[in-house]
Amino acid sequence: MLSTVRFDTLPAAFQHTAAVKPAAIALRTPGDTHTLTWGEYARQVRGFAAGLAALGVARGDTVALMMGNRLDFYPLEVAAQHLGATSFSVYNTLPADQLGYVLGNAGARVVICEPQYVPRLRDCGVDIQHIVCLDDAPPGTLPVAGLITIGRADFDFDATWQAVRAGDVATLIYTSGTTGAPKGVETTHANLLFQVYGIAEVLGIEFGDTITSFMPSAHIADRLTALYTQEVLGIQVTCVADPKQIAPALADLHPTIWGAVPRVWEKIRAAIEFKVAAEPDDTRRAAGQWALSMAATRGEYALSGRPLPADLATEWQRADELVLRGLRKALGFDRMRWALSGAAPIPPATLAFFAGLGVPITEIWGMSELSCICSVSHPREVRLGTVGTLLPGMESRTAPDGELQVRGPLVMRGYRGLPEKTAEAIDADGWLHTGDIVTVDEDGYLTVVDRKKEIIINASGKNMSPTHIENTVKAATPLIGAMAVIGDGRPYNTALIVLDAEAAGPYAEQHGLPDAAPAALATEPSVLAAIEAGIAAGNAHLSRVEQIKRFTVLPVFWEAGGDEVTLTMKLKRKAVAEKYASRIEDLYRADPPAEVREPRREGAAVNR
């Protein structure tokens, strides 16, 4: 830990952290192309704060940022915090109308952005007082460098940041909007400091720990792990501008701590398995497959909670020395003390795979309304398939219908400008109604079943989790990018399948297919055969009532922020049901069309 001293505000914590080792690297890009020391970082924060103050930004005002994962983001965001402003990021992919809604609801006075977003900002219908622009600033905007020149020499920086209070709103996190317009979660300095100190107490975080920033900074996960944790505890952040380049970035950095959403972990797993299977040297391929089989055995024991027998432990150690250790190093995972998976449920099989590989992943649970992470356990205490236990200082209870309700210092102040919605979410006694159905074991470990509003009740009255079914199937094949399980009020479950946009091109190239467009691949026999096999493999791990009986592959990709999925790739189930109503009805016809298929009957079903 950086210090036993705890601070009440982000600016106070940052000032302490930046003074610990001013010459140490705080921010970098892969290969150290660009770096920023803590001393340089602090000087830029002071200069930018003076410039923003000259624009009229003061305590309680709102500043929005719209840019990629780059070093410039950090001193600008932290400078706004030092003025007592509410600083937040917007998703760069928002269309003008949604951008206008968010900025209007937030009451943003100043927007700091990259030049390509200026036209959209000017077309969003909100009167923005000042647009501060990085790189080549278009006419009518203020270059970032201009912030330094307009700052007043007599600006009292220290008095300004010392006037910030724990109860001030530090940031806004806009919910993904699966059931309507996104809501702006008001998160205070007190919320965020409790959050950072809480996860540090459980996981252990040290000054100089290394991590990447590759997710959108509008997502609370990236803000917590690569911004607030950095300010408070002094971790070093590597900014990865293109998330598709995360693999080489990890190999460059060898992070000590790291986190990703389940889909990223699934893609890494698929890449490992493919690389081993495609090894041209027979001896090396056999060694890799043997090592992965030993990893799979270790993962199975970890998933079941059973200790690995001594003879198998010895064999795994041999596999580790010969193959797995080198594999972790090649991935950049050889220095990693722990890793996180969150934002959505991760298939237990994926957790088991990495446990067997020697990569300690802990699944977390939380939500924007709880500052990000509310439940987590250290990897040495993790129970695979659960999301750990509540952070110390938080309370929980389970409603009669299984909904988890929590109370404590992580609970948001409210939704910006929406008192009625706030009252619906937080009752008079301070309990946040999370909307998640959970089970809790005798030791307090939580297992998330699904969202309360998404539980399927079939025609026979059987309750099922569509998310569990979807994750089980997706874990069986990297070709599936998204899927929507249908079954509410129906006699059996079916699925709409969407191919993974990133996997489509490489798959087409590897199999000599001339067209990687989704419409072409959706009817390609080899693709359909692979999907059938994947669904059959997933079905083998589902009870009979949960299994997918029919499916269709849609001739499109689903884009983040589109009609079907949110910017964080969460399904808009109601919108999907409405848009694809005729396709869904085809799945239940007695004489379905040719594009409706049934998975192969492979593997024995698990009766549960």
Side-chain angles (χ1 to χ4, degrees):
M1 292 287 292
L2 175 65
S3 172
T4 56
V5 180
R6 295 199 173 193
F7 299 92
D8 294 329
T9 68
L10 292 169
F14 174 83
Q15 289 300 316
H16 175 79
T17 301
V20 173
K21 293 183 180 179
I25 300 297
L27 296 159
R28 65 184 290 274
T29 56
D32 289 327
T33 306
H34 301 287
T35 61
L36 198 68
T37 68
W38 281 103
E40 293 165 338
Y41 191 173
R43 286 189 290 275
Q44 287 192 20
V45 166
R46 180 182 289 268
F48 288 144
L52 289 171
L55 292 181
V57 177
R59 182 181 170 199
D61 289 333
T62 305
V63 174
L65 296 96
M66 193 174 184
M67 62 185 76
N69 300 71
R70 50 190 291 171
L71 268 65
D72 315 70
F73 163 80
Y74 289 83
L76 289 162
E77 164 97 24
V78 176
Q81 294 173 7
H82 278 64
L83 299 177
T86 298
S87 51
F88 79 108
S89 291
V90 297
Y91 285 101
N92 301 336
T93 53
L94 285 178
D97 59 336
Q98 294 181 30
L99 183 60
Y101 170 81
V102 168
L103 294 177
N105 176 261
R109 294 187 58 186
V110 174
V111 178
I112 307 172
C113 69
E114 294 172 352
Q116 65 265 35
Y117 304 126
V118 172
R120 213 182 320 156
L121 285 166
R122 287 176 170 163
D123 194 38
C124 75
V126 174
D127 183 20
I128 302 167
Q129 294 183 16
H130 301 283
I131 296 178
V132 180
C133 204
L134 291 94
D135 306 325
D136 298 322
T141 67
L142 176 67
V144 163
L147 282 179
I148 303 297
T149 60
I150 66 173
R152 291 168 55 96
D154 60 353
F155 171 64
D156 195 336
F157 175 72
D158 292 326
T160 302
W161 71 254
Q162 289 167 5
V164 179
R165 295 291 175 260
D168 291 348
V169 177
T171 194
L172 297 169
I173 298 295
Y174 278 85
T175 60
S176 55
T178 55
T179 57
K183 300 182 287 290
V185 175
E186 294 183 324
T187 307
T188 67
H189 289 263
N191 290 146
L192 293 171
L193 269 296
F194 183 88
Q195 172 76 106
V196 172
Y197 291 132
I199 60 172
E201 180 180 338
V202 173
L203 295 171
I205 300 175
E206 304 167 2
F207 185 95
D209 266 331
T210 57
I211 199 170
T212 64
S213 169
F214 71 103
M215 295 180 284
S217 58
H219 197 297
I220 184 58
D222 193 77
R223 294 183 76 77
L224 172 63
T225 58
L227 173 62
Y228 304 128
T229 302
Q230 186 208 37
E231 293 180 71
V232 179
L233 301 174
I235 66 174
Q236 182 197 88
V237 174
T238 295
C239 301
V240 183
D242 182 359
K244 294 180 181 179
Q245 296 301 309
I246 188 59
L250 288 170
D252 164 79
L253 176 62
H254 296 261
T256 59
I257 57 179
W258 196 63
V261 297
R263 193 60 182 154
V264 172
W265 288 115
E266 290 162 12
K267 286 178 180 294
I268 294 172
R269 174 188 176 180
I272 292 170
E273 293 174 331
F274 175 79
K275 183 176 181 180
V276 170
E279 169 59 50
D281 182 88
D282 292 344
T283 302
R284 290 173 62 87
R285 183 173 65 256
Q289 290 172 335
W290 163 74
L292 286 187
S293 71
M294 291 309 307
T297 299
R298 186 180 193 236
E300 289 171 5
Y301 275 87
L303 192 60
S304 66
R306 297 173 295 156
L308 191 65
D311 59 331
L312 292 178
T314 300
E315 192 72 355
W316 182 87
Q317 286 289 349
R318 183 164 168 262
D320 189 54
E321 291 172 4
L322 295 175
V323 178
L324 301 180
R325 189 174 300 170
L327 180 57
R328 290 196 299 273
K329 186 173 182 179
L331 291 169
F333 288 171
D334 51 313
R335 296 200 304 152
M336 195 178 294
R337 297 199 312 277
W338 50 260
L340 300 176
S341 178
I346 185 171
T350 303
L351 287 174
F353 175 86
F354 283 100
L357 207 65
V359 178
I361 299 177
T362 182
E363 187 176 8
I364 61 101
W365 173 83
M367 53 198 307
S368 300
E369 289 86 345
L370 290 168
S371 310
C372 190
I373 299 174
C374 186
S375 181
V376 62
S377 293
H378 193 279
R380 63 173 172 265
E381 298 170 344
V382 76
R383 296 182 184 177
L384 295 187
T386 77
V387 293
T389 59
L390 291 184
L391 286 181
M394 295 298 294
E395 302 176 75
S396 71
R397 67 184 186 186
T398 306
D401 62 1
E403 181 188 20
L404 178 66
Q405 299 173 3
V406 295
R407 182 170 66 180
L410 289 179
V411 176
M412 66 175 179
R413 193 168 85 167
Y415 296 121
R416 174 148 294 196
L418 299 171
E420 299 85 1
K421 293 291 185 182
T422 300
E424 290 175 12
I426 307 172
D427 65 26
D429 295 321
W431 291 100
L432 175 71
H433 295 233
T434 67
D436 279 341
I437 303 296
V438 302
T439 60
V440 187
D441 70 15
E442 64 277 6
D443 297 317
Y445 283 76
L446 279 67
T447 299
V448 178
V449 177
D450 210 331
R451 293 293 293 167
K452 181 177 177 178
K453 295 180 179 178
E454 296 186 356
I455 293 293
I456 286 175
I457 305 176
N458 71 5
S460 300
K462 171 67 176 178
N463 286 29
M464 292 171 280
S465 162
T467 300
H468 167 68
I469 298 169
E470 290 155 1
N471 283 337
T472 301
V473 171
K474 286 193 293 182
T477 171
L479 268 179
I480 298 179
M483 64 182 290
V485 170
I486 313 298
D488 200 43
R490 304 282 190 169
Y492 53 85
N493 290 340
T494 62
L496 301 175
I497 303 293
V498 177
L499 298 174
D500 186 279
E502 293 181 22
Y507 181 91
E509 183 177 351
Q510 291 161 11
H511 292 79
L513 302 178
D515 192 348
L521 293 179
T523 58
E524 166 59 39
S526 66
V527 172
L528 293 173
I531 297 296
E532 286 177 4
I535 294 177
N539 277 347
H541 295 281
L542 297 168
S543 67
R544 292 192 185 279
V545 74
E546 291 174 312
Q547 291 176 0
I548 304 299
K549 305 300 184 185
R550 288 178 172 178
F551 71 93
T552 187
V553 180
L554 300 178
V556 295
F557 294 137
W558 284 351
E559 297 183 2
D563 293 341
E564 300 89 357
V565 293
T566 70
L567 289 163
T568 55
M569 295 304 290
K570 294 177 182 176
L571 275 177
K572 300 178 182 178
R573 294 190 186 274
K574 183 179 179 181
V576 168
E578 292 173 352
K579 183 172 182 177
Y580 297 97
S582 62
R583 289 269 194 171
I584 292 170
E585 290 309 313
D586 285 344
L587 290 167
Y588 291 94
R589 281 172 48 183
D591 55 340
E595 58 265 27
V596 172
R597 305 178 72 88
E598 296 183 2
R600 301 172 185 171
R601 301 295 183 222
E602 295 181 3
V606 179
N607 290 302
R608 292 194 280 106

